[in-house]
Amino acid sequence: MSFRLEMLQVARVAPKLLGDSADLVADFIRSRMHPDGGFLNRADQPDLYYTVFGIEGLMALQKEVPKEQLRAWLTTYGDGEGLDFVHLSCLARCWASIGGGLTAEQKQTLASRLEVWRTPDGGYHQAPGRKNGSAYGCLIAFGAYQDLGLLPPDPLSIAKCMDSLETPDGAWSNEPGLSLGSTTATSAMLSLYRNMQMPAPPAAVEWLVRQCLPAGGFLAVPGAPIPDLLSTAVALHALSNNADAIARVKEPCLDFIDSLWSAAGGFHGNWTDDTLDPEYTYYGLLALGHLAL
């Protein structure tokens, strides 16, 4: 199962905990769609990245997605010419979510554009000209190829890149040579391990569980001042095949996510974040889905 479908399947369970508030969430997500298509970013501009979360948020809530309007807007991006790495992957994911849109030739062309971001060590990096891949880049590229119905060339080299990102504390970082891991990088690597049917290192699982505060929420890195929703959602997703780990963090994480809820229908990214957007709202759904299972 692809990363996209794996996450969506879990996010669809979130309404069990949301109850009547699920309609508020759907209304909020709809309010962030531009009349010409695409969901709005924090600068109120339609953006492929935020459109991923807008589409999948509505799908998770089992609400109607305005596919024809979105198809018209997505078609303007063609095969992704001129897009950066992240937005190329978002274009592939949006089309995979709503169906149709890209011809077989366009899919191959989009995939070739992703290869421009391949690094000499066999991984991928979201910034141009890097010698080493990043955890984020490897995860995004692998997911984009899944969404295109393809496999990346030489997928085993991605595993070798993953090895170079391991940190002495038993986790992973986004760049080689760092002494401390990060929650998002470690979560990305554990998710990649699962998708590549490789056994997850037990030390990394334990490291990830330790990033959850006793009061709830995962820290982005050890010693971070406050937990955040992105780290919490992706950590729960990475730990999802470990029932014991989820049980250890379930109740405090429910309290943490509740503290980020807004009556406007969205979720804040952390306690200092005053802005609501489709991205963090989707991560709220993903986190709740894991905690409702």
Side-chain angles (χ1 to χ4, degrees):
M1 184 182 295
S2 70
F3 292 127
R4 176 180 58 84
L5 292 176
E6 190 179 77
M7 294 171 73
L8 185 58
Q9 185 180 59
V10 175
R12 281 182 170 147
V13 187
K16 285 186 178 181
L17 295 178
L18 284 169
D20 293 340
S21 296
D23 287 337
L24 281 177
V25 180
D27 288 343
F28 167 71
I29 293 174
R30 290 190 196 101
S31 76
R32 298 302 295 166
M33 187 170 180
H34 192 276
D36 295 332
F39 287 82
L40 303 175
N41 59 23
R42 291 190 166 206
D44 290 331
Q45 298 297 317
D47 189 308
L48 282 167
Y49 180 80
Y50 287 84
T51 299
V52 165
F53 299 106
I55 292 172
E56 294 182 19
L58 290 177
M59 293 178 74
L61 296 166
Q62 300 187 52
K63 302 295 184 181
E64 183 178 356
V65 176
K67 292 183 179 180
E68 293 310 311
Q69 190 177 355
L70 284 162
R71 284 193 182 103
W73 181 72
L74 290 170
T75 298
T76 65
Y77 289 96
D79 57 19
E81 183 177 4
L83 295 179
D84 63 20
F85 174 76
V86 172
H87 287 87
L88 279 169
S89 69
C90 290
L91 181 61
R93 186 160 170 172
C94 287
W95 278 124
S97 291
I98 66 173
L102 293 175
T103 65
E105 182 179 357
Q106 285 178 314
K107 288 180 180 179
Q108 291 291 344
T109 300
L110 199 158
S112 70
R113 299 191 193 284
L114 289 170
E115 287 305 298
V116 173
W117 303 84
R118 195 128 200 195
T119 49
D121 65 349
Y124 295 82
H125 202 291
Q126 62 274 22
R130 296 298 183 94
K131 293 181 179 180
N132 303 97
S134 68
Y136 180 70
C138 290
L139 180 74
I140 293 299
F142 200 90
Y145 271 97
Q146 287 179 329
D147 290 331
L148 293 169
L150 305 170
L151 271 177
D154 190 16
L156 287 180
S157 67
I158 298 176
K160 294 177 184 177
C161 171
M162 290 159 57
D163 290 342
S164 73
L165 297 170
E166 288 188 63
T167 50
D169 56 354
W172 281 275
S173 65
N174 253 319
E175 305 292 342
L178 298 181
S179 59
L180 292 176
S182 79
T183 296
T184 54
T186 304
S187 299
M189 290 294 97
L190 288 175
S191 294
L192 265 172
Y193 264 78
R194 185 166 62 229
N195 266 259
M196 296 177 77
Q197 299 183 341
M198 298 163 60
V205 173
E206 283 303 313
W207 183 94
L208 198 55
V209 172
R210 289 198 301 273
Q211 305 320 304
C212 184
L213 295 179
F218 283 74
L219 299 174
V221 292
I226 57 173
D228 68 89
L229 182 53
L230 169 60
S231 297
T232 300
V234 297
L236 290 171
H237 190 65
L239 295 169
S240 60
N241 60 342
N242 189 315
D244 177 65
I246 294 292
R248 289 158 62 186
V249 303
K250 181 174 182 176
E251 292 305 322
C253 280
L254 281 170
D255 291 339
F256 172 67
I257 295 165
D258 184 61
S259 75
L260 300 176
W261 164 254
S262 166
F267 289 88
H268 296 282
N270 59 60
W271 294 323
T272 68
D273 182 16
D274 294 327
T275 305
L276 300 174
D277 66 32
E279 178 189 13
Y280 281 110
T281 298
Y282 181 74
Y283 282 128
L285 296 176
L286 178 63
L288 285 177
H290 280 298
L291 298 173
L293 290 171

